[in-house]
Amino acid sequence: MPKQQANWSPYDNNGGTCVAIAGADYCVIAADTRMSTGYSILTRDYSKIIQLADKSVMASSGFQADVRALQKVLAARHLLYQHQHNKQMSCPAMAQLLSNTLYFKRFFPYYSFNVLGGLDSEGKCKGKGCVFTYDAVGSYERVGYSAQGSGATLITPFLDNQLKSPSPLLLPAKDAVTPLSEIEAIDLVKTCFASATERDIYTGDKVEMLVLNASGIRQEFMELRKD
Amino acid sequence: MMNLADSAPATNNMLGSEADSQRTLYPYVTGTSVIGIKYKDGLLFAADMGGSYGSTLRYKSVERLKSVGKHSVIGASGEISDFQEIMRYLDELILFDNMWDDGNSLGPKEVHNYLTRVMYNRRNKFNPLWNSLVLGGIKNGKKYLGTVSMIGVHYEDDHVATGFGNHLARPILRDEWHENLTYEEGVKLLEKCMRVLLYRDRSAVNKLQIAKITEEGFTVSEPYSLKTSWDFNAFKNPTLDAEGSW
């Protein structure tokens, strides 16, 4: 008898979209709250965002079980860091940790598409918004804004147009952090999700937005189409 | 002469060699949908008592709803032997919890988290427990209802279902569920869902149990059957307008 092939996959795509935008003194991180499988909606009220540290917030979409496991690993590592260094991890430090954690499972990846947002805390960049974007195996870069997940292909071109980001090829490197105000950026994020919801079946129900700035962290919700 | 059995197909080699015959490849005896809802005083669950062996309805008295500790109920669909294994894990978990003898006890949220980790870790080893589980309960007035799949996908909601239940029951529940359902309303709602599943799910059997958990404790009904109606004109003379048709 020939060897039996597997008829189950260890992966599933539970859908969803994540966006983050970095400002001069704030950062917006947003994700929809829909969780799907195949053509079914499992639940309309599931958060894809986690606050890993004081100034680090991660939004992840993809395979929910892997996302949850990844969040737990990072949260545990942050706790250890706090015990060892008696301080919170900075956003760039968390960014490196996330990259290393993902690459650690290079040959059985976390099917998790992440954006990490927060506030920089070093030297003259203190308080500036920062966004890091990742693929599933940990390659990452710091950018001014990013979208990941099922609606990313719909949102990214729109953000490219609206935020008129400078070319990353320029020398000296020009900052991609947007000059938009916090209110304008949030409005832009809401528009992104409303548009993505129209055409992406996996995006919808509600968008959860977290805003980090000097005064702390704020959470906002907006209803989206439920179809 | 090329031995075709040895030629390398696009096999996923992470699934181990033939000597490694201890892994779950596919399910044998399976249960179908489980439904769970929150209601005014606690939670209600429904599952039929069928254990299918492929397309044969082999076992018709399988209890797929069980209590876990003082505060929780578990409902399982999928491989029945794996469910029995899960019950062994849970019995041990509760035993150790009781042995602390400190007045504290594991609530539904904790049990759900435990199950999620177990299912995910088995998936990581490519040897899954082939089940979709519903886990719910009430502790200190707080109601909790969640579900876990065989690959570790999990979430909580006011109403959950496994398998076909997601396709047929959840839409009904989204439309008709509301907070503060009475016990009678809850049972009626579950029966409505189970009836649709009975009509449309090939693996469903007409023998079900309803389980209830409140602060007072766990009860599961005696098995009973739903009334069905097959009295449609189209069924009475199916070839009326299509002579020779099947």
Side-chain angles (χ1 to χ4, degrees):
Chain A
M1 187 172 123
K3 189 162 91 171
Q4 252 283 332
Q5 303 275 10
N7 38 24
W8 67 281
S9 168
Y11 292 112
D12 189 14
N13 188 357
N14 301 115
T17 308
C18 307
V19 172
I21 301 180
D25 60 354
Y26 66 87
C27 187
V28 186
I29 300 99
D32 71 323
T33 62
R34 174 176 287 181
M35 192 170 132
S36 330
T37 181
Y39 285 113
S40 296
I41 295 175
L42 292 173
T43 187
R44 300 186 189 276
D45 195 14
Y46 188 83
S47 175
K48 296 181 186 62
I49 304 181
I50 185 173
Q51 181 171 21
L52 293 167
D54 238 9
K55 302 195 165 80
S56 281
V57 176
M58 179 175 78
S60 319
S61 73
F63 173 45
Q64 186 260 355
D66 273 350
V67 166
R68 193 47 105 219
L70 178 64
Q71 290 175 345
K72 278 174 166 251
V73 166
L74 293 169
R77 288 298 298 271
H78 184 238
L79 192 59
L80 281 171
Y81 183 97
Q82 286 180 278
H83 290 156
Q84 287 168 352
H85 305 284
N86 197 24
K87 65 174 184 177
Q88 294 276 321
M89 269 178 94
S90 67
C91 196
M94 186 62 80
Q96 187 67 61
L97 177 63
L98 174 52
S99 170
N100 294 158
T101 307
L102 290 168
Y103 196 80
F104 192 73
K105 274 177 54 84
R106 169 67 179 79
F107 301 110
F108 184 18
Y110 289 112
Y111 192 81
S112 171
F113 298 95
N114 316 292
V115 287
L116 184 74
L119 300 173
D120 212 340
S121 51
E122 298 305 307
K124 58 186 171 126
C125 287
K126 199 174 164 77
K128 212 175 189 185
C130 61
V131 170
F132 298 90
T133 190
Y134 296 77
D135 71 358
V137 288
S139 94
Y140 80 111
E141 71 173 319
R142 182 170 177 173
V143 288
Y145 59 90
S146 176
Q148 289 283 355
S150 56
T153 48
L154 297 164
I155 293 175
T156 306
F158 175 62
L159 287 177
D160 286 340
N161 174 265
Q162 293 297 306
L163 296 173
K164 291 196 187 54
S165 190
S167 167
L169 301 167
L170 287 171
L171 283 172
K174 229 168 159 202
D175 211 0
V177 158
T178 179
L180 286 180
S181 75
E182 196 180 293
I183 314 272
E184 288 173 316
I186 292 164
D187 212 55
L188 190 60
V189 166
K190 289 179 180 173
T191 308
C192 285
F193 275 90
S195 308
T197 303
E198 291 292 312
R199 295 289 183 171
D200 176 26
I201 60 172
Y202 297 109
T203 303
D205 294 329
K206 254 198 328 238
V207 57
E208 178 187 8
M209 291 166 284
L210 257 69
V211 186
L212 273 119
N213 54 30
S215 9
I217 187 163
R218 192 176 88 245
Q219 188 188 49
E220 237 185 280
F221 286 95
M222 184 182 84
E223 293 292 320
L224 295 170
R225 283 181 66 157
K226 298 175 189 334
D227 62 359
Chain B
M1 159 95 136
M2 188 165 81
N3 186 345
L4 288 163
D6 282 345
S7 59
T11 331
N12 185 343
N13 216 54
M14 288 193 263
L15 292 153
S17 64
E18 269 184 80
D20 206 345
S21 62
Q22 293 297 317
R23 298 175 166 195
T24 301
L25 290 172
Y26 31 73
Y28 285 87
V29 179
T30 56
T32 186
S33 324
V34 179
I35 320 174
I37 59 172
K38 290 182 186 170
Y39 80 106
K40 187 160 69 81
D41 306 322
L43 292 98
L44 286 165
F45 305 83
D48 69 22
M49 302 191 76
S52 303
Y53 185 66
S55 55
T56 311
L57 288 174
R58 175 70 183 83
Y59 300 102
K60 298 189 191 177
S61 297
V62 180
E63 287 190 21
R64 301 197 288 116
L65 296 168
K66 298 273 187 191
S67 78
V68 181
K70 289 199 288 270
H71 307 284
S72 315
V73 178
I74 184 172
S77 66
E79 172 63 55
I80 299 297
S81 64
D82 280 350
F83 176 46
Q84 290 170 348
E85 180 81 345
I86 288 168
M87 286 315 298
R88 284 159 56 90
Y89 284 149
L90 288 175
D91 288 341
E92 188 186 55
L93 182 74
I94 299 297
L95 176 69
F96 275 77
D97 186 40
N98 291 340
M99 276 162 62
W100 287 113
D101 197 25
D102 62 355
N104 192 24
S105 49
L106 291 170
K109 203 176 166 75
E110 290 82 53
V111 177
H112 185 226
N113 186 252
Y114 172 80
L115 285 171
T116 301
R117 289 300 107 212
V118 168
M119 302 301 274
Y120 183 69
N121 276 288
R122 289 289 295 255
R123 164 262 185 200
N124 282 347
K125 296 191 278 201
F126 282 90
N127 187 201
L129 288 159
W130 207 290
N131 297 102
S132 285
L133 307 166
V134 166
L135 198 298
I138 179 166
K139 190 177 166 200
N140 298 330
K142 282 196 72 183
K143 291 177 271 220
Y144 183 90
L145 181 60
T147 182
V148 199
S149 79
M150 70 183 252
I151 49 173
V153 172
H154 61 280
Y155 58 95
E156 34 167 324
D157 210 333
D158 298 324
H159 45 79
V160 296
T162 66
F164 263 94
N166 271 313
H167 294 103
L168 298 170
R170 293 297 292 290
I172 299 174
L173 294 168
R174 284 207 183 98
D175 199 28
E176 296 184 27
W177 182 90
H178 58 87
E179 269 196 82
N180 301 315
L181 283 164
T182 64
Y183 172 75
E184 289 75 27
E185 288 172 332
V187 172
K188 232 174 125 192
L189 188 53
L190 284 177
E191 285 182 346
K192 183 172 183 177
C193 295
M194 293 302 282
R195 188 171 288 107
V196 172
L197 285 165
L198 184 59
Y199 285 133
R200 294 294 179 176
D201 178 4
R202 199 178 75 156
S203 356
V205 295
N206 196 1
K207 187 176 169 193
L208 70 144
Q209 287 179 305
I210 304 265
K212 166 170 80 93
I213 188 143
T214 59
E215 286 286 11
E216 280 79 59
F218 168 82
T219 61
V220 61
S221 70
E222 280 300 301
Y224 69 103
S225 297
L226 295 169
K227 283 203 172 52
T228 56
S229 166
W230 300 90
D231 201 26
F232 293 97
N233 280 323
F235 294 168
K236 283 185 195 148
N237 195 359
T239 59
L240 184 65
D241 293 314
E243 285 289 332
S245 162
W246 46 267

